């Protein structure tokens, strides 16, 4: 069972001085099997994009390219849904016992360096080398913010839609952490948040649907409940939440995914198998976190897990560009193997040359910036409270009328 250190102390409410930074809690042991699962999810997405999702890169009918792969890759397209369950587990593990500045710094340092490189690299490919998708330089610049969905600007690469989902989830977790994360609060959150998200979706409240992350909230919540079980042990309520959220997610997502996959895939999925795969997304996270697999410490799984994010960000257009160059020169298996190998190599370069050196720097800088903002807000708050208290004391002090008291004194002397 994973344990974490007690949470960091918030600024002392009895002092007007900003608090000094205290060390973050010790990091929990890494779940290597979970890293391996993340990489498998990314590989599934790669297989889907290269063999099953409609593309002209192969220069032929996609049904003729790799039908044996397409038959299962259409279900492997649920890799993002598996990512969401893993994210619910991992982000709660990251946030528990940590301050808001630590959480924000951790997420910014993890999310943006590889993303910026991915946007610029894919933008350069599509603008200068292989204009298979119409984009603009301005679109690339807006995409660098990761807020393009807020201003109705299209994604440079379609895979970025999942990052917008993740970013909204991070915002909710940050707000949650500001109130304090406890076991009971997590369970209430995992019960009420998906219910509110699904209600907003049913009623058509578009703004609430956006900020409550519907319809993916049940997947995140299922991962959160699994982390509670991993952290505190088996209990009925967390398991009920896991099962209920898995069921709600399946009911909400199967119709949507049937529509999107049916429109974009060379092989249409079967709804029953799609539902089974969605439930399996939750089951696989439970398997690698709550069984003896959680005790695996094989460094190879951690190494490939580190490639997951840059592979996901860069594989689609760069890999298909390789296919475009080779499809009429080598057999299908060779072109497909070259595309996968190039994508993995590119992911390794991004991880080694960008994430490892710059991620920690950005994390620390962001954390310090958030701490300065927090401490400044606390100092202003305490100063405002002190000013208000001084005003109240002044209002309560007795007021003497010098003229009246002098007249009373002279009258007394005469008498």
């Amino acid at each position: 069972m994973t344990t974490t250190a007690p949470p960091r102390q918030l600024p002392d409410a009895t002092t007007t001085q900003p608090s000094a930074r205290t060390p973050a809690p010790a990091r929990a042991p890494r779940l290597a099997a979970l890293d391996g699962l993340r990489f498998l999810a990314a590989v599934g997405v790669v297989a889907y994009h290269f063999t099953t999702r409609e593309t002209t890169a192969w220069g032929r009918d996609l049904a003729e390219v790799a039908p044996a792969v397409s038959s299962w890759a259409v279900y492997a397209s649920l890799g993002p849904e598996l990512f969401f369950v893993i994210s619910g587990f991992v982000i709660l593990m990251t946030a528990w016992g940590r301050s808001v500045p630590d959480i924000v710094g951790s997420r910014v340092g993890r999310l943006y360096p590889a993303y910026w490189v991915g946007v610029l690299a894919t933008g350069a490919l599509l603008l200068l080398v292989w204009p298979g998708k119409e984009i603009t330089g301005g679109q690339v610049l807006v995409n660098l913010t990761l807020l393009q969905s807020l201003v109705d600007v299209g994604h440079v690469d379609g895979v970025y839609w999942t990052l917008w989902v993740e970013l909204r989830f991070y915002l909710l977790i940050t707000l949650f952490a500001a109130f304090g994360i406890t076991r009971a609060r997590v369970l209430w959150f995992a019960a009420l948040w998906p219910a509110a998200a699904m209600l907003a979706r049913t009623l058509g409240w578009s703004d609430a649907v956006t900020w409550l992350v519907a319809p993916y909230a049940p997947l995140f919540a299922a991962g959160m409940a699994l982390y509670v079980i991993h952290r505190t042990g088996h209990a009925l309520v967390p398991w009920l939440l896991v099962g209920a959220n898995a069921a709600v997610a399946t009911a909400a997502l199967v119709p949507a995914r049937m529509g999107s996959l049916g429109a974009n895939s060379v092989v249409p999925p079967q709804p029953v198998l799609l539902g089974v795969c969605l439930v399996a997304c939750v089951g696989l996270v439970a398997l690698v976190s709550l069984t003896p697999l959680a005790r695996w410490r094989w460094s190879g799984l951690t190494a490939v897990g580190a490639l997951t994010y840059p592979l996901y960000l860069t594989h689609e257009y760069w890999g298909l560009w390789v296919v475009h160059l080779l499809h009429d020169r080598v057999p299908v298996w060779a072109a497909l193997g070259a595309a996968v190998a190039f994508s993995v190599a590119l992911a390794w370069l991004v991880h080694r040359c960008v994430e490892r050196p710059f991620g920690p720097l950005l994390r620390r800088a962001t954390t310090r910036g958030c701490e300065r903002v927090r401490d400044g807000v606390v100092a202003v708050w305490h100063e405002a409270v002190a000013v208000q208290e001084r005003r109240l004391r002044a209002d309560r002090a007795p007021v003497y009328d010098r003229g009246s008291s002098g007249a009373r004194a002279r009258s007394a002397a005469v008498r």
Side-chain angles (χ1 to χ4, degrees):
M1 184 180 300
T2 300
T3 58
T4 57
R8 291 175 52 179
Q9 297 297 317
L10 295 176
D12 187 350
T14 64
T15 179
T16 59
Q17 297 298 322
S19 62
R21 188 183 180 193
T22 55
R27 184 176 297 179
R30 193 167 188 93
L31 297 174
L34 202 59
D35 286 325
L37 186 60
R38 291 173 61 238
F39 185 74
L40 286 179
V43 169
V45 175
V46 170
Y48 172 71
H49 284 151
F50 288 178
T51 68
T52 312
R53 191 176 187 274
E54 293 291 354
T55 178
T56 59
W58 285 97
R60 70 184 83 173
D61 185 354
L62 194 60
E64 303 173 359
V65 171
V69 177
S70 297
S71 62
W72 59 262
V74 68
Y75 301 102
S77 68
L78 295 177
E81 283 74 6
L82 178 53
F83 287 145
F84 295 153
V85 182
I86 295 172
S87 185
F89 185 102
V90 172
I91 301 309
L92 186 58
M93 179 167 59
T94 301
W96 202 310
R98 284 174 165 80
S99 69
V100 169
D102 283 331
I103 297 168
V104 174
S106 170
R107 293 303 90 200
V108 170
R110 179 73 180 94
L111 201 64
Y112 275 99
Y115 174 72
W116 286 331
V117 172
V119 171
L120 293 174
T122 301
L125 174 69
L126 298 179
L127 286 171
L128 305 175
V129 180
W130 189 45
K133 177 181 179 180
E134 295 298 329
I135 64 170
T136 66
Q139 184 179 350
V140 172
L141 293 177
V142 173
N143 270 243
L144 290 172
T145 68
L146 195 47
L147 302 176
Q148 58 267 24
S149 295
L150 283 179
V151 291
D152 294 324
V153 173
H155 300 297
V156 170
D157 189 324
V159 301
Y160 299 163
W161 74 269
T162 63
L163 305 184
W164 173 235
V165 174
E166 292 274 1
L167 194 63
R168 287 175 285 158
F169 172 57
Y170 296 163
L171 176 61
L172 289 176
I173 289 297
T174 301
L175 294 174
F176 185 20
F179 289 95
I181 297 177
T182 66
R183 181 181 185 277
R185 289 174 181 174
V186 170
L187 296 179
W188 278 109
F189 187 81
L192 297 179
W193 168 39
M198 293 302 103
L199 178 62
R201 188 166 182 253
T202 300
L203 297 176
W205 295 346
S206 58
D207 288 341
V209 165
T210 297
W211 296 110
L212 291 174
V213 204
Y216 304 103
L219 295 174
F220 289 112
M224 294 172 71
L226 286 172
Y227 178 68
V228 169
I229 297 170
H230 172 80
R231 179 185 175 96
T232 65
H234 296 277
L236 177 61
V237 172
W239 274 115
L240 287 176
L241 289 173
V242 171
N245 279 303
V248 171
T250 301
L253 290 172
V254 166
R257 295 296 266 151
M258 282 294 298
S260 62
L261 292 174
N264 299 318
S265 306
V266 68
V267 176
Q270 297 298 317
V272 173
L273 288 179
L274 206 59
V276 170
C277 290
L278 279 167
V279 174
C281 289
V282 178
L284 287 171
V285 177
L287 180 67
V288 301
S289 62
L290 303 176
T291 70
L293 293 177
R295 295 194 290 270
W296 281 11
R297 294 292 180 266
W298 182 36
S299 60
L301 293 175
T302 301
V304 296
L307 301 181
T308 299
Y309 184 48
L311 175 63
Y312 181 77
L313 288 174
T314 60
H315 76 276
E316 184 170 11
Y317 286 105
W318 282 97
L320 289 176
W321 175 63
V322 173
V323 168
H324 167 72
L325 295 178
L326 298 178
H327 71 85
D328 57 352
R329 301 179 182 180
V330 299
V332 167
W333 64 267
L336 187 58
V340 172
F342 181 86
S343 299
V344 172
L346 183 58
W348 182 86
L349 282 173
V350 173
H351 172 67
R352 184 65 182 84
C353 301
V354 178
E355 286 191 306
R356 286 180 60 178
F358 297 109
L361 292 175
L362 184 58
R363 182 186 70 244
R364 289 192 293 269
T366 304
T367 301
R368 287 194 297 267
C370 289
E371 287 176 333
R372 285 194 291 268
V373 170
R374 178 199 63 189
D375 294 342
V377 169
V378 170
V380 170
W381 169 258
H382 285 310
E383 181 61 28
V385 170
V387 169
Q388 184 65 22
E389 289 177 349
R390 288 196 294 269
R391 288 176 179 173
L392 289 175
R393 286 196 296 269
D395 290 341
R396 292 169 184 165
V399 179
Y400 298 99
D401 186 334
R402 293 183 178 179
S404 298
S405 54
R408 286 195 297 271
R410 287 191 298 271
S411 176
V414 170
R415 289 195 298 269

